[in-house]
Structures are given as C-alpha cells and as structure tokens.
Amino acid sequence: MTLKNKILEGKFLYLKDGSSYTDEIFTVHKEDKTQGDYFFKSEVLSRVRTGEFLKIYIEYHLNTALEPIKITTRRLLGHKSSLEVFQINHQSRNVYYQFTDSNNKRHEFEKVVNSRAHFATPCFLTSMIMLNYKAIDPVQKTSYQIISTNNIWNYSGPFQEYEIDLELQNSLPINLKINGNELKATHIKMYPREEKSESEIFHDFYLSKYYFIPYKVDFNNGIIIQVDKLKHFEDQFSKK
C-alpha cells in the first residue's frame, strides 16, 4: 500500500454581507512516490433554515499530471443522504457516472467526453484545478468545458456539459491582503456562458501558487469565499 504525504491543509469561509454561513475544511495529499497521485479532500459544513447541518464530503482523486480520475461527493442532512461518483478513463475518454439517491436507489450513466473537462463539485478547493492540466492563455479568454449535475438528493438526470471562459488579468501576481496576511495571487475573471445580460457577468478569482487553489472569490451577488488559513508543509503560509 502506497503511503500518502499531507502537503496542504486549510480552511475557507463563505461570507454573505460580512457574516460567515459555511465552513470548508480541506487537505491535499500526494502518494509517496515519484509519479504519485493526488487526493484533494474537502468537508463543507453549513447550517440550513431548519437548524440542521448540511454536511458535504468531497474527494477529488487526480493522477500525477493532475487530471481527474475519480470524484466522490457525499451529502448528509438529517435522515437524507446521497452519493455521487464520477470515474474517468483517460484512454477511452469514457466518463462513468453513478448517483445513489436518498432512498438508496442507484442511477448510472456513461458517455465518451472527448475534451479534457473539469468536474464541478460543491467545494471551493478544486474550483480552478483545471488550470493545472490546461494552461490559461496569457492574452485572451480561454474556454474550459465543465461537467456537472443538478442531482442533490434525488436523481433528475445525467450529467450536463457547458463552457466557461477564464481571463488572466495580470501577467504577474498581485498583492492580496486577507486577515492581515500579505499574499501574492494570480487574478483571473471567470465568465459563465449560461449567464447572459446586456453587461457581461464575471466573477473575480484570486489564486494561490499551490495547484491554483484559490485564496478568494468575489461573486457579483455579494457572496465572498476566502481562505481563513492555509498551511503548506514545504513552503508555508500559515495563519494560526
């Protein structure tokens, strides 16, 4: 059995009008070998209106080139639960999808996806992980294919494909201050193609040098997600 070394750990805060409403605790591990795989894990905890806690556990398994191999999302809320799994075969380009609903009924779907798609999950940690295997163009918008579903507790259909555009804002990292810490961040804008209006909609992302894990995103609806602490076990920024 291959050992895994923890290379990153931290926490994100989800903020609305300055108040925190959700926490995300995460770790990143790498197999202890030259061509080792990576494992990005997040636990998202949020209190819902009923007073219960919604718990979401995400594991993103990537190969040594940081391409997704398997993505697992487990949701728990009171007596309800669901399990969502993507498995990607990079040789055949086949994507196998499995969803187990709150009644423990399993639904399956598979499809050949020719492009190198990013798999969206309800965590912030891996939101920009596709930049590791498809570089952003330094002078113009870059298109990325996204795969996601609308399945939460019950199955409403197979996964869907759509595109977003990312645009680099500065050729060099900019200064970013969070919780009194001075950080160097890559600033990009994300343009969701499905959102059309007279003025183009975008969201500002500020990315770390650690596998493009974000430090912060400023959505246009007043919601901000930002790092509360991030520790790198070789070259660390740490807020204790």
Side-chain angles (χ1 to χ4, degrees), residues 105-120:
K105 183 178 179 180
R106 180 180 295 181
H107 308 263
E108 297 176 305
F109 175 75
E110 57 185 312
K111 180 182 178 181
V112 172
V113 177
N114 290 316
S115 62
R116 302 170 79 187
H118 169 65
F119 294 81

Side-chain angles (χ1 to χ4, degrees), residues 198-223:
E198 293 182 2
S199 59
E200 198 167 23
I201 294 173
F202 62 84
H203 310 294
D204 285 295
F205 280 78
Y206 302 88
L207 311 181
S208 75
K209 63 181 181 180
Y210 306 117
Y211 310 104
F212 296 104
I213 293 172
Y215 283 133
K216 180 180 180 180
V217 61
D218 190 350
F219 291 108
N220 56 29
N221 58 2
I223 292 176

Side-chain angles (χ1 to χ4, degrees), residues 170-212:
N170 303 87
S171 58
L172 296 173
I174 65 168
N175 295 320
L176 180 68
K177 191 170 184 178
I178 299 179
N179 297 333
N181 293 289
E182 295 286 348
L183 309 172
K184 292 288 186 181
T186 299
H187 181 200
I188 66 170
K189 290 186 183 294
M190 188 268 278
Y191 299 85
R193 287 192 180 180
E194 72 275 14
E195 297 181 22
K196 301 294 183 182
S197 65
E198 293 182 2
S199 59
E200 198 167 23
I201 294 173
F202 62 84
H203 310 294
D204 285 295
F205 280 78
Y206 302 88
L207 311 181
S208 75
K209 63 181 181 180
Y210 306 117
Y211 310 104
F212 296 104

Side-chain angles (χ1 to χ4, degrees), residues 19-187:
S19 298
S20 174
Y21 66 91
T22 297
D23 293 345
E24 179 180 337
I25 299 170
F26 64 86
T27 59
V28 179
H29 291 79
K30 184 180 184 297
E31 289 181 328
D32 188 16
K33 57 183 181 179
T34 304
Q35 299 295 314
D37 289 354
Y38 293 83
F39 299 84
F40 285 60
K41 297 183 180 182
S42 278
E43 298 181 10
V44 181
L45 181 65
S46 181
R47 187 184 291 273
V48 299
R49 291 181 179 179
T50 61
E52 296 177 300
F53 279 101
L54 170 64
K55 301 175 183 178
I56 309 176
Y57 302 94
I58 301 104
E59 178 169 315
Y60 223 102
H61 178 188
L62 305 111
N63 63 20
T64 189
L66 289 161
E67 298 172 312
I69 298 173
K70 183 177 181 180
I71 301 101
T72 303
T73 302
R74 183 182 298 276
R75 295 177 175 88
L76 301 170
L77 176 63
H79 68 280
K80 296 192 294 186
S81 66
S82 66
L83 176 65
E84 190 171 46
V85 180
F86 287 96
Q87 291 180 284
I88 303 95
N89 185 316
H90 288 284
Q91 291 184 331
S92 66
R93 311 303 300 177
N94 188 68
V95 176
Y96 167 76
Y97 175 70
Q98 175 187 307
F99 182 80
T100 305
D101 64 25
S102 193
N103 295 315
N104 207 33
K105 183 178 179 180
R106 180 180 295 181
H107 308 263
E108 297 176 305
F109 175 75
E110 57 185 312
K111 180 182 178 181
V112 172
V113 177
N114 290 316
S115 62
R116 302 170 79 187
H118 169 65
F119 294 81
T121 69
C123 76
F124 190 46
L125 174 67
T126 59
S127 56
M128 289 291 153
I129 207 167
M130 63 281 201
L131 272 69
N132 290 284
Y133 54 86
K134 180 183 177 181
I136 191 169
D137 191 298
V139 295
Q140 62 184 358
K141 290 180 182 177
T142 308
S143 174
Y144 290 85
Q145 184 174 5
I146 310 297
I147 288 178
S148 69
T149 80
N150 294 320
N151 303 322
I152 298 177
W153 304 115
N154 298 305
Y155 184 77
S156 62
F159 61 75
Q160 302 170 350
E161 303 169 64
Y162 61 95
E163 291 186 331
I164 62 170
D165 293 319
L166 300 182
E167 184 178 41
L168 185 66
Q169 299 303 295
N170 303 87
S171 58
L172 296 173
I174 65 168
N175 295 320
L176 180 68
K177 191 170 184 178
I178 299 179
N179 297 333
N181 293 289
E182 295 286 348
L183 309 172
K184 292 288 186 181
T186 299
H187 181 200

